[in-house]
């Protein structure tokens, strides 16, 4: 937001950076399947010369053939709400060899993630990771867990964060209807949820001593 | 004898004065004035919203407003300009001019006429006050696409009801126009002797009656989806978000011709007068207008090429859309041919008319580019589209109305407007218009999407130029307001004919046109 507000200097790819680009191989037809689960968006990379809407309830298809390896940038092209201007799309086109190499390393990474999700985590590890994941909660509940009186409840001493573990996990995963608390189950991994719940129960002034394992989260998905 | 009786009778009417005169009036000239003033007011309100948009886009980053308010501004700017400025503006011209052009004493349904105007201020009070509700005004674009509009706050409901009221107003106005034209023409004024402005309005009125109910229907479906658990547009309930777009654009495309056909009519009145020649190809002009109106019903899905239609559908809508270039081309060539070897002079109305022919044609060509399906995949929802529809709507509809205002102001007020200031307004307006909107073509082609409050750095230069142009364009309209006020308050006395041997019955009555004209119908040879 600091960048958007014009306080920080803007980089060359201002508004067109993503944390995880889509990787495709060059010289091969690539078919995209598009859908949406909230409102209509549109997937557009200007250099590909085509765009298509992503519509709830529809699966639209689009194809491209990229010849030059490189980074291709685009944006959502259908008005989708207040953050419409902040929906960048980045595609990395890699030569077939590099693509295979990337694929192999991704598979390795995923195998590690699967292993991580399956193993037992120590309390220390969960707290370290949970502190990072808690960044998702800071905007409302505050870095110190005190919330914003009248608007957003505190985590510190909260009956949910100090009561039964299952209820706490459920609120984080499914949100709370009628409030601003959103569902995080599609956004955070089992490990992330386990870590952040453990963190909330053992830090920010709480001290229940409970430990939540990724496998526990997975069992209620 | 009959004339004298009627005039004598008239003097005994007690006309309310002051504000009550305007509230209770059934006089077509009064109501025309109300419509035109309302249109001018909304033009200024919508213009201010455009300036908020352009101020935010002057530089990358969020400096002036937040993204949600930005979306409210883009939505409201369009709704106010389309339903508040352009449509009522044309109805104002229709009210003033139709009876005088066909030799009728008034509109056929004067009380309905009063009502159709007075619905509007209430509709727009409701629409504009939705900006003050919790969560702000409607922010889903004027197209109100579901499911985004289903998620909006109560401002969307207020917008829906405002649209219903505007629709009622438009339909009543359209009925009045049709009944007037079919029943009130002076003896001898056959259909094919009617001035082209009358013809374009007749056809526009049929379009209005055909499509305003469709808009009312689709926003009502939106309303029931929002509050009564229907699922017309909700896929989770078996509905279809794309159906909204089909129904909306079945209204929306004829709507854009509703916004331009009366402008064609005004241009077709101005150009012959200042070319000192009759309109070239009168009958083909009428047929072209009817052809455009017919085609407008079978092109709607060219607004939605990227939703994923079957190939056959994309081809059909591509070719039917391109067909529109034929009747529109006929019109452009007829205007040019009217000027050909004419004895041209370039008073302000003529300057506007020529600019409209030239600039609207640019908008027409960019429209043709957008009609090409595979090319539209690239242009759709970019600033290229924004440039396109401002070239047809601003330098088509709005500038035609400005030209029409200069053309008929002497007849309305009895005074000549200030020619020097009028020309200054024309040049400022036209130059700043092009500075504002021509660079937007380049922005779209370079990849800038529509309706974004902030943009990547490669778009900066053209946005700066466009924003500077927009502020110039906005300020130059203050000059227009000044010229109009000056002309109403005084100035050189206008003759009955005003211009050099203009055609049309309106120039046979005194300037200013008396409160009641043609109480005895003229005989048209």
């Amino acid at each position: 937001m600091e960048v958007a507000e014009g306080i920080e200097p803007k980089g060359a790819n201002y508004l067109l950076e993503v944390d995880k680009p889509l990787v495709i191989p060059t010289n091969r037809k690539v078919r995209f399947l598009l859908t949406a689960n909230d409102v209509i968006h549109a997937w557009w990379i200007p250099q590909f010369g085509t765009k298509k809407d992503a519509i709830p309830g529809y699966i639209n298809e689009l194809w491209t053939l990229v010849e030059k390896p490189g980074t291709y940038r685009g944006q959502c092209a259908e008005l989708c709400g207040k953050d419409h201007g902040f929906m960048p799309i980045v595609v990395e086109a890699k030569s077939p060899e590099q693509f295979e190499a990337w694929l192999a390393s991704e598979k390795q990474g995923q195998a590690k993630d699967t292993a991580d999700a399956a193993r037992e985590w120590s309390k220390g590890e969960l707290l370290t990771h949970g502190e990072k994941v808690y960044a998702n909660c800071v905007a409302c509940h505050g870095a110190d867990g005190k919330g914003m009186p009248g608007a957003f409840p505190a985590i510190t001493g909260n009956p949910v964060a100090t009561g039964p573990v299952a209820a706490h996990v459920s609120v984080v995963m499914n949100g709370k209807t009628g409030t601003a608390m959103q569902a995080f189950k599609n956004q955070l991994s089992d490990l992330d949820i386990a870590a952040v719940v453990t963190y909330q129960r053992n830090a920010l002034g709480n001290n229940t001593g409970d430990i939540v394992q990724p496998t526990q989260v997975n069992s209620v998905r | 004898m009959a004339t004298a009786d009627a005039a004598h009778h008239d003097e005994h009417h007690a006309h309310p004065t002051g504000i009550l005169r305007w509230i209770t009036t059934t006089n077509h000239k009064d109501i025309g004035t109300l419509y035109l003033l309302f249109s001018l007011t909304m033009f200024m309100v919508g213009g201010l919203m455009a300036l908020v948009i352009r101020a935010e886009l002057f530089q990358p980053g969020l400096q002036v407003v937040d993204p949600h308010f930005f979306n409210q501004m883009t939505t409201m700017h369009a709704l106010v300009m389309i339903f508040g400025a352009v449509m009522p503006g044309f109805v104002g011209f229709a009210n003033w001019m139709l009876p005088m052009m066909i030799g009728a004493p008034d509109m056929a349904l004067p009380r309905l006429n009063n009502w159709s105007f007075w619905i509007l201020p209430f509709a727009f009070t409701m629409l504009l006050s939705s900006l003050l509700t919790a969560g702000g005004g409607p922010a889903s674009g004027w197209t109100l696409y579901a499911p985004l509009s289903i998620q909006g706050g109560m401002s969307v409901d207020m917008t829906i009801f405002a649209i219903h009221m505007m629709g009622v107003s438009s339909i009543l106005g359209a009925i009045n126009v049709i009944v007037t034209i079919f029943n009130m023409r002076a003896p001898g004024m056959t259909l094919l002797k009617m001035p082209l402005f009358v013809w374009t309005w007749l056809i526009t009125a049929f379009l209005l009656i055909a499509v305003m109910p469709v808009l009312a229907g689709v926003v009502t479906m939106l309303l029931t989806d929002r509050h009564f658990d229907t699922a017309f547009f909700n896929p989770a309930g078996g509905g279809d978000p794309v159906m909204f777009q089909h129904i909306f654009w079945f209204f929306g495309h004829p709507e854009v011709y509703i916004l331009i056909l009366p402008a064609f009519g005004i241009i077709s009145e101005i150009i012959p007068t200042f070319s000192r020649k009759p309109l070239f190809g009168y009958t083909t002009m009428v047929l072209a207008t009817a052809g455009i109106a017919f085609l407008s019903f079978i092109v709607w899905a060219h607004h939605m090429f990227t939703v994923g239609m079957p190939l056959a559908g994309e081809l059909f809508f591509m070719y039917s859309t391109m067909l529109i270039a034929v009747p529109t081309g006929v019109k452009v060539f007829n205007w040019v041919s009217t000027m050909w070897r004419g004895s041209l002079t370039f008073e302000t109305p003529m300057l506007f008319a020529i600019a409209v022919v030239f600039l609207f044609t640019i908008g027409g060509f960019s429209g043709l580019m957008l009609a090409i399906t595979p090319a539209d995949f690239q242009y759709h929802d970019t600033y290229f589209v924004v440039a396109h529809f401002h070239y047809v709507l601003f330098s088509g509809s709005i500038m035609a109305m400005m030209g029409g205002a200069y053309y008929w102001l002497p007849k309305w007020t009895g005074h000549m407007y200030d020619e020097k200031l009028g020309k200054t307004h024309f040049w400022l307006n036209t130059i700043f218009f092009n500075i504002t909107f021509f660079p937007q073509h380049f922005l779209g082609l370079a990849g800038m999407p529509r309706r974004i409050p902030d943009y990547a750095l490669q778009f900066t230069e053209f946005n700066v130029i466009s924003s500077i142009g927009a502020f110039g364009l906005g300020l130059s309209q203050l000059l227009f307001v000044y010229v109009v006020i000056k002309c109403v308050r005084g100035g050189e006395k206008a003759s009955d004919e005003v211009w050099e041997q203009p055609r049309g019955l309106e120039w046979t009555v005194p300037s200013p046109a008396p409160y009641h004209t043609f109480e005895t119908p003229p005989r048209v040879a």
Side-chain angles (χ1 to χ4, degrees):
Chain A
M1 273 319 266
E2 281 187 337
V3 179
E5 278 158 14
I7 303 162
E8 292 229 321
K10 298 174 178 70
N13 294 314
Y14 170 62
L15 294 184
L16 299 177
E17 303 268 20
V18 301
D19 50 359
K20 221 174 167 192
L22 177 67
V23 181
I24 60 170
T26 54
N27 293 316
R28 212 186 298 171
K29 275 191 188 173
V30 180
R31 180 166 169 254
F32 301 98
L33 296 179
L34 306 167
T35 189
N37 69 356
D38 45 12
V39 296
I40 302 175
H41 305 271
W43 198 88
W44 183 36
I45 301 267
Q47 281 151 299
F48 293 180
T50 187
K51 73 169 70 66
K52 190 136 273 180
D53 292 355
I55 306 170
Y58 276 71
I59 295 175
N60 265 338
E61 57 176 353
L62 181 69
W63 68 269
T64 189
L65 178 72
V66 179
E67 287 166 350
K68 285 190 195 146
T71 307
Y72 298 88
R73 295 173 195 277
Q75 281 176 271
C76 173
E78 178 65 61
L79 178 63
C80 58
K82 72 178 168 57
D83 291 330
H84 170 54
F86 312 99
M87 274 191 84
I89 301 165
V90 178
V91 172
E92 293 266 9
K94 291 182 187 288
S95 66
E97 305 79 55
Q98 282 179 324
F99 181 76
E100 290 305 328
W102 170 83
L103 201 60
S105 82
E106 277 298 294
K107 280 180 179 162
Q108 227 169 29
Q110 270 190 4
K112 184 176 171 294
D113 286 348
T114 317
D116 276 349
R119 78 176 168 89
E120 283 282 302
W121 284 63
S122 75
K123 189 174 174 184
E125 285 176 311
L126 284 170
L127 286 177
T128 317
H129 187 61
E131 194 174 358
K132 286 184 215 148
V133 181
Y134 186 71
N136 290 294
C137 320
V138 170
C140 299
H141 295 297
D144 52 2
K146 299 279 186 280
M148 277 172 73
F152 306 110
I155 300 287
T156 313
N158 189 302
V160 175
T162 52
V165 175
H168 188 181
V169 171
S170 164
V171 168
V172 175
M173 288 179 75
N174 304 314
K176 197 165 178 185
T177 45
T179 71
M181 179 66 193
Q182 67 169 96
F184 281 97
K185 70 177 169 189
N186 295 323
Q187 192 176 332
L188 299 179
S189 69
D190 293 348
L191 172 59
D192 291 341
I193 293 171
V196 81
V197 171
T198 307
Y199 178 75
Q200 289 179 353
R201 300 182 77 82
N202 296 291
L204 307 171
N206 294 336
N207 194 7
T208 61
D210 299 322
I211 298 178
V212 183
Q213 292 295 341
T215 45
Q216 276 171 272
V217 175
N218 189 261
S219 66
V220 292
R221 251 190 205 273
Chain B
M1 192 61 207
T3 319
D5 275 354
H8 180 73
H9 174 74
D10 193 54
E11 281 161 17
H12 287 277
H13 268 301
H15 291 295
T17 51
I19 185 83
L20 263 183
R21 165 185 169 186
W22 298 102
I23 292 174
T24 60
T25 184
T26 54
N27 178 283
H28 73 103
K29 298 184 183 80
D30 278 354
I31 295 173
T33 304
L34 286 171
Y35 265 111
L36 289 172
L37 290 178
F38 181 81
S39 163
L40 188 60
T41 311
M42 286 298 130
F43 179 59
M44 293 297 159
V45 171
L48 281 177
M49 292 171 177
L51 293 185
V52 172
I53 295 169
R54 283 318 318 173
E56 180 53 64
L57 293 174
F58 181 62
Q59 289 281 292
L62 296 172
Q63 292 90 358
V64 183
V65 293
D66 65 84
H68 184 57
F69 190 71
F70 182 89
N71 288 347
Q72 295 170 39
M73 287 293 103
T74 55
T75 306
M76 282 298 214
H77 165 70
L79 288 171
V80 166
M81 285 300 193
I82 292 169
F83 294 102
V86 178
M87 291 170 72
F90 282 137
V91 183
F93 277 96
N95 260 295
W96 254 103
M97 302 317 301
L98 290 187
M100 284 206 275
M101 284 178 158
I102 62 172
D106 203 309
M107 296 296 279
L109 308 163
R111 291 188 183 196
L112 197 73
N113 204 10
N114 172 292
W115 195 32
S116 62
F117 172 76
W118 279 107
I119 290 174
L120 282 181
F122 294 96
F124 277 86
T125 305
M126 176 131 87
L127 180 69
L128 291 171
S129 61
S130 77
L131 283 169
L132 308 174
T133 59
S140 53
W142 83 280
T143 51
L144 300 170
Y145 273 10
L148 184 59
S149 53
I150 292 176
Q151 298 174 359
M154 77 177 279
S155 62
V156 179
D157 306 317
M158 293 170 77
T159 306
I160 288 171
F161 286 127
I163 286 174
H164 280 143
M165 288 160 76
M166 295 168 205
V168 170
S169 161
S170 293
I171 291 170
L172 296 182
I175 290 173
N176 212 344
V177 165
I178 292 173
V179 176
T180 305
I181 294 175
F182 279 152
N183 293 301
M184 309 273 287
R185 277 172 290 130
M189 166 96 43
T190 56
L191 284 176
L192 282 175
K193 277 187 187 159
M194 297 193 307
L196 210 76
F197 180 69
V198 180
W199 258 112
T200 53
W201 241 112
L202 178 64
I203 290 167
T204 302
F206 276 103
L207 289 182
L208 278 166
I209 290 179
V211 301
M212 292 313 285
V214 179
L215 175 66
V218 78
V219 295
T220 307
M221 288 158 88
L222 203 58
L223 190 74
T224 62
D225 264 18
R226 286 168 53 82
H227 295 294
F228 304 110
D229 282 344
T230 57
F232 291 114
F233 310 126
N234 178 6
D240 183 347
V242 177
M243 183 170 71
F244 178 89
Q245 300 182 23
H246 279 293
I247 305 175
F248 181 86
W249 287 113
F250 188 80
F251 145 78
H253 204 80
E255 167 72 12
V256 305
Y257 295 119
I258 289 166
L259 300 173
I260 196 64
L261 290 182
F264 289 171
I266 294 174
I267 299 304
S268 305
E269 300 300 323
I270 296 175
I271 289 182
T273 297
F274 297 95
S275 306
R276 290 156 184 82
K277 276 176 65 190
L279 185 68
F280 183 89
Y282 171 87
T283 318
T284 56
M285 281 299 220
V286 172
L287 292 175
T289 310
I292 292 173
F294 167 75
L295 287 173
S296 74
F297 285 102
I298 55 167
V299 298
W300 75 89
H302 68 216
H303 294 271
M304 15 186 320
F305 279 144
T306 63
V307 299
M309 272 186 289
L311 188 63
E314 286 176 344
L315 288 175
F316 172 81
F317 287 108
M318 172 168 82
Y319 291 129
S320 60
T321 305
M322 288 174 148
L323 267 184
I324 295 179
V326 176
T328 315
V330 167
K331 285 184 166 291
V332 172
F333 282 115
N334 279 345
W335 289 323
V336 175
S337 307
T338 306
M339 287 186 270
W340 177 253
R341 296 195 166 175
S343 176
L344 300 181
T345 50
F346 300 96
E347 288 86 347
T348 311
M350 184 61 164
L351 290 176
F352 271 101
I354 294 173
V356 167
V357 173
F358 181 71
L359 297 173
F360 175 83
T361 304
I362 293 180
F365 278 132
S366 59
L368 208 48
M369 291 169 73
L370 288 161
I372 304 168
T373 308
D376 183 71
F377 291 156
Q378 182 74 339
Y379 307 146
H380 179 77
D381 261 329
T382 67
Y383 256 81
F384 190 82
V385 178
V386 178
H388 158 72
F389 65 67
H390 283 96
Y391 266 83
V392 289
L393 265 175
F394 191 95
S395 63
S397 308
I398 299 225
M399 280 172 61
M401 281 201 272
M402 288 171 177
Y406 285 112
Y407 184 56
W408 284 305
L409 260 176
K411 177 58 65 186
W412 298 338
T413 63
H415 309 124
M416 291 305 288
Y417 59 88
D418 187 326
E419 188 65 54
K420 208 166 158 193
L421 286 182
K423 282 184 176 161
T424 312
H425 168 239
F426 167 78
W427 285 110
L428 288 175
N429 171 76
T430 308
I431 290 169
F432 280 121
F433 165 77
N434 282 288
I435 295 176
T436 309
F437 293 106
F438 209 78
Q440 296 186 0
H441 290 109
F442 306 135
L443 284 172
L445 295 178
M448 180 168 164
R450 288 172 72 176
R451 294 164 164 168
I452 55 173
D454 191 6
Y455 48 85
L457 300 185
Q458 68 263 35
F459 306 129
T460 309
E461 285 77 7
F462 285 130
N463 271 300
V464 171
I465 297 170
S466 183
S467 288
I468 292 171
F471 278 87
L473 185 59
L475 288 175
S476 63
Q477 303 320 327
L478 298 178
L479 185 57
F480 177 61
V481 175
Y482 175 73
V483 175
V484 171
I485 293 174
K486 194 171 166 209
C487 180
V488 171
R489 298 178 67 127
E492 193 195 322
K493 180 88 185 70
S495 68
D496 294 357
E497 281 207 324
V498 182
W499 313 109
E500 217 173 66
Q501 296 180 5
R503 288 163 185 78
L505 290 174
E506 76 263 38
W507 309 110
T508 63
V509 301
S511 301
Y515 200 59
H516 295 290
T517 39
F518 296 127
E519 283 168 285
T520 310
R523 188 155 282 281
V524 181

